[in-house]
Amino acid sequence: MVQSTTSAYLAVATNIAAQQNATAGQADVKSATAYYLANIGKVTTVSQFVNNYQLFSYAMKAYGLEDMTYAKGLMIKVLNGGVTDSKALANTLSDPRYKAFATAFDFAGQGAKATQATSATSGASAKYIEQTLEDNQAKTNQGVANALYFKRNASSITSIYGLLADSTMLSVVETAYGISSTLGESDIDTQAAVLSKVVNLPDFKDPTKVEKLVERYTAAYDANGSSNTTNVLLADTSNTVGSILNAANGVSTSYAPNSVLNLFNSTSSSQNGVSSSLLLSLAKLSKGG
C-alpha cells in the first residue's frame, strides 16, 4: 500500500532531529560540511566568497538559492549592498531569501568578519542539512519536501509579494486552498488580490496554524493526484473561470454568472478555496490592479 503524503510527512516531521542527524551523516553531506566549516571563516571579501565554488554553492543551497549559484554578478550586488539601506538590492527584491542571504553574510556591515558570524558558519550548515533532507524526500515524494520547506520557511514570508516570489511556498498555498496554478497567467496585482483573500500572513508565524495548513496541503496534494492542476478553479469545463481571469487582465470575454457561482460557496472562506464574489470582482479589475 502506498503511503499517503500526510503520513510520510508526519513520519519525518515528528522525528525531525533524527532525520537531520541521519542526513548530516551522509558521506557527501559530511564531507561538504567539513570543508565548508573549515574554510568559510578564512574568507574576508565578497570576491573571495563568490569565486570559491565549494563554499559559495554550499551557502547558496543552505539559504534556498541553489538555482541562482550561477548568478555571481547578481549576488555580488546583493552582498555589497547589505540590508541597512532600504534601497539596497536585497531589500528591493520581493524574494525574502536574498535578504536572508545578505543578512547572514553581512559583508556590507561586518566586513572581513562577516564569515565568522553564526549565521555564516553553524547556522548555514544547519540550513544546508535541512535543505538536503528536503531534497532527499523529493526523490520519493515532492509533496513531503514541499511541506517540510513550507514549515521551515513560513515565518520568513512578510508580504503577499514575497509569497508570490517563492514558487515552492506559493505551490503549497495554491494546493492547500484550491487556487489554480493558472492564476500565474494573470498580472501580479491580480494574483496578489486573490491570495490576500485566502491568506492571513500573521498565521505564518504561528507554528500551530502553520502545521494545520501543511497537513491540509498534504491531504490536498494526494487528493489532486500529486498535482495542483485539478482543483476548484479548474473544476468547470465551460472555461468560465478562464474567462474571468481573462477579464481581470483586460481581455474581452463573457461568462455565465450562475455557472461560476455553482463552483464556489456564496461567501468568502479560506476553508473552501476562493469565493465567487472574489472572482466576479476580479473580472472588473483593470490590468495592473
Side-chain angles (χ1 to χ4, degrees):
M1 181 177 180
V2 178
Q3 186 178 32
S4 71
T5 299
T6 298
S7 296
Y9 160 72
L10 291 174
V12 176
T14 56
N15 297 283
I16 194 67
Q19 294 283 345
Q20 290 171 345
N21 287 336
T23 302
Q26 292 177 203
D28 57 338
V29 176
K30 188 174 182 179
S31 176
T33 299
Y35 176 85
Y36 180 84
L37 292 177
N39 292 281
I40 188 60
K42 300 174 185 177
V43 171
T44 58
T45 68
V46 171
S47 179
Q48 288 177 350
F49 185 37
V50 301
N51 287 304
N52 184 318
Y53 182 78
Q54 280 184 272
L55 295 179
F56 184 55
S57 61
Y58 185 101
M60 289 288 278
K61 177 175 179 176
Y63 282 87
L65 292 168
E66 183 176 15
D67 291 344
M68 296 300 292
T69 302
Y70 73 92
K72 293 197 295 184
L74 171 65
M75 298 312 298
I76 287 172
K77 291 180 180 179
V78 167
L79 291 169
N80 282 334
V83 296
T84 302
D85 188 338
S86 61
K87 295 181 181 179
L89 182 58
N91 290 326
T92 60
L93 294 171
S94 59
D95 191 330
R97 289 174 294 185
Y98 291 100
K99 183 177 181 179
F101 192 82
T103 301
F105 298 91
D106 187 18
F107 286 96
Q110 301 296 321
K113 296 181 179 180
T115 57
Q116 297 173 27
T118 300
S119 58
T121 54
S122 59
S125 64
K127 288 181 176 295
Y128 181 90
I129 290 166
E130 291 173 333
Q131 184 65 57
T132 303
L133 169 59
E134 290 157 18
D135 290 346
N136 290 344
Q137 291 298 315
K139 295 175 183 177
T140 55
N141 190 321
Q142 186 63 53
V144 174
N146 291 350
L148 291 169
Y149 178 88
F150 185 91
K151 182 177 181 179
R152 179 164 66 91
N153 293 287
S155 63
S156 69
I157 300 297
T158 58
S159 72
I160 290 296
Y161 291 97
L163 176 59
L164 284 166
D166 190 318
S167 60
T168 301
M169 300 288 285
L170 179 60
S171 175
V172 169
V173 170
E174 286 179 337
T175 302
Y177 290 116
I179 302 172
S180 172
S181 58
T182 59
L183 181 65
E185 299 171 9
S186 302
D187 64 86
I188 193 70
D189 292 330
T190 297
Q191 295 177 55
V194 171
L195 290 175
S196 294
K197 286 292 184 179
V198 296
V199 174
N200 182 32
L201 287 179
D203 288 350
F204 283 16
K205 297 187 183 302
D206 184 326
T208 299
K209 292 180 179 180
V210 168
E211 185 63 34
K212 288 182 178 179
L213 191 155
V214 166
E215 291 185 22
R216 173 174 178 162
Y217 162 75
T218 57
Y221 186 86
D222 282 340
N224 293 336
S226 299
S227 169
N228 66 348
T229 57
T230 303
N231 50 50
V232 295
L233 293 190
L234 294 180
D236 183 70
T237 58
S238 64
N239 292 320
T240 53
V241 171
S243 297
I244 288 177
L245 292 179
N246 284 335
N249 283 298
V251 179
S252 177
T253 186
S254 61
Y255 57 88
N258 289 337
S259 176
V260 176
L261 290 172
N262 287 335
L263 293 178
F264 307 97
N265 289 337
S266 60
T267 58
S268 178
S269 169
S270 63
Q271 298 301 312
N272 294 288
V274 181
S275 70
S276 57
S277 60
L278 171 60
L279 287 190
L280 290 172
S281 67
L282 287 179
K284 301 175 183 178
L285 292 176
S286 61
K287 188 171 179 63

